[in-house]
Amino acid sequence: MDKKALRQSRERKRRQIRRRKIIRAVVYLLGAVLLVIFVSRGIVKPIIRRIFGSGPDDSNTLRTEAVESDPNAAIRRPLKRVTDTEKLTALTPGWHENAEGRWYQNTDRTYFAGGFMSIDGVQYYFNEDGYIVRDDWITLGVKDYYFDETGSLEPQRNHPLLALTFDDGPGPYTNRLLDALEKYNARATFFMLGIQIEEYPDILPRMQELGCELGSHTWNHKDLTTLSLEGVKEQFRDTDDLMLSVCGQTAKIARPPYGSWNDDVLETAGKPFINWCVDSMDWSYKDAQKDYESILSADGLGDGAIILMHDIYEPTVACVEMLIPKLQEMGYKLVTVSELAEASNVDLQLATYTNFWKSSLEAGDVPGYRGTATTESSYEPFEFTISDGYGEYREEESTEDTEDIYEDESEEEEYQEEDSSEAYDEEYSEEESW
Ligand code: NI
């Protein structure tokens, strides 16, 4: 082999080595780029998301389950909103207090908001901004909850409930009565006649809007025990048909005219009969002041009472305008009959009811009573225990779902609308006027 051939061979080898070096460098570079991508997606992104929030992810399934399992439970919200700058400055987990109130920071840099949460065995309610409710009421559904000065739920404390009921309408004064109900955020039940609905059909949708209950008082106020069962059937069917065409619903409860009924009539009507325990005698007085005094002095007036009045008389409506603020001042909450039943743990049966007094419930006189506390509220789905005030905490199953919820801000807004927070806000401000 001569010198020239040797040089060419070396040159080839050198080129080969250079090529391998370049390939290796490219492979390393690619590897490094991929590593950076994976690391940033897996580690950096979640951190960024936790601090600043970011786009959608796939926690929808978990969210739905959490909403279904408990819409009233507090959610965790990351410390990231513009309005939360004050919270951001206090970065230690645990309780914090500022001018707005008391709030709780978790170890994962979230805070509780918009629902109940049990911390160290105490039930709190966190409002939408994450502050606990103190020395105040909130209302969720038919239940009221009171929280003491420290924010602890007082399960025994509750508003006594009353159901105002109005028969024989609607009439020319019913709209004025609805004005009073609206003004004081009260609800009532109307046992209406078919012939009167024909006269005043437009008022039924307004009753619905105000959360009032629409009951049947038959078509034309006959004593049902004097009619054939076919006649009884007609009385309710015709009224239901008209109600359905006027406001899209039929009556779920009924009141037999004169409170007169028997088992056959009840069976044929096919609706729970609601009579009363306080008779205002407004039909005989026709005097607002006398109506007012007779109701306030009635023996039956108390938690769970059903009061009978007639909205077809002007003095009755004038009485109600004085009566509602007075009853509220006495601590009463005015609800519909069905709400009263629900709050009393009663599933209305094909039976006749006159009151939901605690004494009647406990004596077994109220059909469909499911037992336990009457209007007492308790709420214990969440167990949340702080071991040392800072680091570790233990959670029951149900909170595991909520843990992932806060990650997606856009979905969280949707969740907030789905739960009862809207109703809560409304009710919450209503409480002030009581
Ligand atoms: Ni009547």
Side-chain angles (χ1 to χ4, degrees):
M1 205 192 282
D2 61 2
K3 274 188 175 180
K4 196 182 173 189
L6 196 63
R7 215 169 31 243
Q8 280 174 342
S9 164
R10 275 186 192 154
E11 192 57 36
R12 242 191 339 266
K13 266 188 183 161
R14 228 175 270 142
R15 275 203 297 271
Q16 258 175 3
I17 289 168
R18 245 200 325 268
R19 215 166 27 237
R20 274 187 205 143
K21 273 184 178 169
I22 290 170
I23 289 171
R24 206 178 300 152
V26 167
V27 168
Y28 283 155
L29 189 68
L30 269 175
V33 166
L34 286 174
L35 193 68
V36 166
I37 290 173
F38 287 140
V39 165
S40 66
R41 291 190 69 160
I43 299 168
V44 179
K45 205 175 165 192
I47 292 172
I48 290 173
R49 186 185 288 166
R50 193 159 293 202
I51 298 171
F52 301 105
S54 79
D57 64 12
D58 52 6
S59 57
N60 295 9
T61 331
L62 284 171
R63 177 181 320 284
T64 311
E65 282 166 12
V67 170
E68 277 170 6
S69 70
D70 204 327
N72 291 335
I75 56 162
R76 287 160 182 251
R77 201 175 267 163
L79 300 169
K80 67 187 177 190
R81 298 176 180 212
V82 183
T83 52
D84 291 334
T85 44
E86 202 170 347
K87 293 198 184 76
L88 268 169
T89 59
L91 293 175
T92 13
W95 287 105
H96 294 284
E97 185 147 9
N98 61 28
E100 298 231 24
R102 211 161 138 77
W103 61 282
Y104 192 86
Q105 188 189 314
N106 297 297
T107 47
D108 60 0
R109 300 193 71 208
T110 61
Y111 63 92
F112 290 128
F116 287 95
M117 186 56 67
S118 170
I119 299 176
D120 279 344
V122 177
Q123 285 284 349
Y124 298 96
Y125 191 89
F126 291 86
N127 71 18
E128 285 307 296
D129 296 324
Y131 297 104
I132 58 167
V133 174
R134 288 190 288 191
D135 190 22
D136 210 344
W137 296 86
I138 64 158
T139 302
L140 297 170
V142 296
K143 300 237 177 188
D144 292 332
Y145 303 85
Y146 177 77
F147 300 85
D148 69 14
E149 307 75 38
T150 68
S152 170
L153 175 69
E154 280 189 21
Q156 305 302 315
R157 191 158 159 185
N158 226 310
H159 289 294
L161 304 178
L162 288 181
L164 300 181
T165 65
F166 298 94
D167 290 11
D168 301 353
Y173 313 108
T174 308
N175 229 341
R176 192 176 134 194
L177 175 57
L178 292 180
D179 289 342
L181 291 169
E182 186 173 18
K183 179 178 175 186
Y184 296 109
N185 298 303
R187 294 183 290 278
T189 304
F190 293 87
F191 291 105
M192 296 177 284
L193 296 171
I195 48 168
Q196 291 300 113
I197 298 172
E198 274 188 323
E199 294 284 317
Y200 302 92
D202 296 342
I203 210 156
L204 275 70
R206 186 173 177 213
M207 289 175 179
Q208 290 174 312
E209 277 168 32
L210 297 179
C212 290
E213 185 161 23
L214 283 57
S216 178
H217 198 40
T218 73
W219 183 259
N220 59 359
H221 215 273
K222 293 276 190 317
D223 182 340
L224 297 174
T225 58
T226 67
L227 299 182
S228 70
L229 292 183
E230 187 52 41
V232 171
K233 203 178 230 168
E234 258 175 40
Q235 287 280 331
F236 288 100
R237 192 187 52 213
D238 291 352
T239 308
D240 268 345
D241 286 349
L242 179 58
M243 280 177 67
L244 194 62
S245 71
V246 161
C247 68
Q249 71 162 89
T250 58
K252 292 195 175 57
I253 54 173
R255 173 170 289 164
Y258 315 102
S260 171
W261 64 284
N262 59 38
D263 287 343
D264 288 340
V265 165
L266 174 64
E267 188 78 22
T268 306
K271 301 176 194 296
F273 279 173
I274 311 296
N275 281 335
W276 57 88
C277 61
V278 174
D279 186 350
S280 65
M281 301 292 283
D282 60 343
W283 54 272
S284 78
Y285 296 137
K286 296 203 181 98
D287 178 310
Q289 191 61 35
K290 279 189 181 169
D291 294 348
Y292 179 82
E293 283 160 15
S294 84
I295 291 167
L296 290 179
S297 63
D299 287 339
L301 187 71
D303 190 16
I306 301 172
I307 300 167
L308 169 65
M309 284 180 278
H310 299 79
D311 53 319
I312 50 170
Y313 304 119
E314 193 277 335
T316 297
V317 175
C319 160
V320 169
E321 288 168 343
M322 301 186 285
L323 186 67
I324 294 176
K326 176 64 180 174
L327 291 171
Q328 290 179 337
E329 187 193 307
M330 291 162 74
Y332 285 109
K333 180 175 182 180
L334 305 175
V335 297
T336 68
V337 169
S338 289
E339 288 170 334
L340 180 57
E342 191 186 335
S344 308
N345 271 338
V346 172
D347 292 321
L348 289 173
Q349 313 283 306
L350 206 50
T352 300
Y353 297 83
T354 57
N355 66 70
F356 295 87
W357 296 328
K358 199 169 185 177
S359 57
S360 304
L361 297 171
E362 283 168 357
D365 293 340
V366 182
Y369 176 50
R370 296 196 303 273
T372 71
T374 53
T375 53
E376 286 163 13
S377 50
S378 63
Y379 193 90
E380 298 177 73
F382 284 76
E383 268 316 314
F384 184 87
T385 308
I386 312 298
S387 61
D388 58 4
Y390 285 89
E392 297 166 39
Y393 50 80
R394 179 171 56 80
E395 295 172 71
E396 300 277 278
E397 293 181 344
S398 47
T399 43
E400 271 171 33
D401 287 345
T402 53
E403 194 153 10
D404 287 305
I405 278 174
Y406 64 87
E407 289 201 350
D408 180 358
E409 181 62 16
S410 59
E411 289 291 323
E412 187 186 320
E413 298 297 346
E414 199 179 308
Y415 167 76
Q416 289 301 319
E417 275 167 39
E418 273 169 23
D419 76 18
S420 52
S421 60
E422 256 181 39
Y424 152 71
D425 280 333
E426 217 176 281
E427 293 287 342
Y428 186 65
S429 54
E430 280 170 24
E431 303 288 344
E432 317 279 77
S433 63
W434 290 11

